Amino acid sequence: SARTVLYVTLHQSKECEGQSYNACDFGNRFSTIRTKPQRVKASKAAGLLREAESLRTECEAALSRGVASKKVRAMREAQLRGAQQTIASLNAVLSNRCDLVVTAGPKLA
């Protein structure tokens, strides 16, 4: 399973005391998360590329039609950026004729 690193930053200022407390509390809770690694079926890069291109097309169409709220628009824009980044990464790997197999990460307990 993959390891995760979390850096908790604090500020010495008295004015930031509440934020520092919340950061410490989050770090403490985050440190207790345990994962159960689980084997999953691998996916080929070409299939992932098709899925990302489909999502990109769907998001572009939804954004061009207009969306109901700012929240939905922000979500669609984030999905679009994610799809674009996935496509760029997979194209870079595929252009080098690398064989990429992606598996899902561990599930949280």
Side-chain angles (χ1 to χ4, degrees):
S1 72
R3 300 287 180 202
T4 301
V5 175
L6 172 73
Y7 292 96
V8 177
T9 58
L10 306 174
H11 197 280
Q12 296 173 343
S13 171
K14 191 75 169 163
E15 291 82 25
C16 297
E17 187 176 73
Q19 291 175 332
S20 293
Y21 175 82
N22 288 335
C24 287
D25 184 53
F26 174 77
N28 184 42
R29 291 175 187 266
F30 187 85
S31 70
T32 63
I33 294 174
R34 299 291 176 254
T35 60
K36 293 182 180 178
Q38 179 180 343
R39 285 201 181 269
V40 294
K41 185 178 179 184
S43 300
K44 294 289 185 184
L48 295 172
L49 186 59
R50 280 192 300 276
E51 288 176 20
E53 288 171 342
S54 174
L55 178 60
R56 180 187 61 190
T57 303
E58 177 187 330
C59 291
E60 288 172 342
L63 288 168
S64 69
R65 287 191 305 268
V67 290
S69 68
K70 289 181 182 180
K71 181 180 178 180
V72 173
R73 180 170 188 79
M75 289 170 51
R76 282 293 189 177
E77 288 171 345
Q79 286 177 324
L80 177 59
R81 279 191 307 275
Q84 290 169 335
Q85 291 170 352
T86 300
I87 291 166
S89 298
L90 290 171
N91 280 333
V93 169
L94 293 173
S95 67
N96 290 330
R97 302 187 195 286
C98 295
D99 193 17
L100 174 68
V101 177
V102 178
T103 57
K107 292 190 175 186
L108 295 178

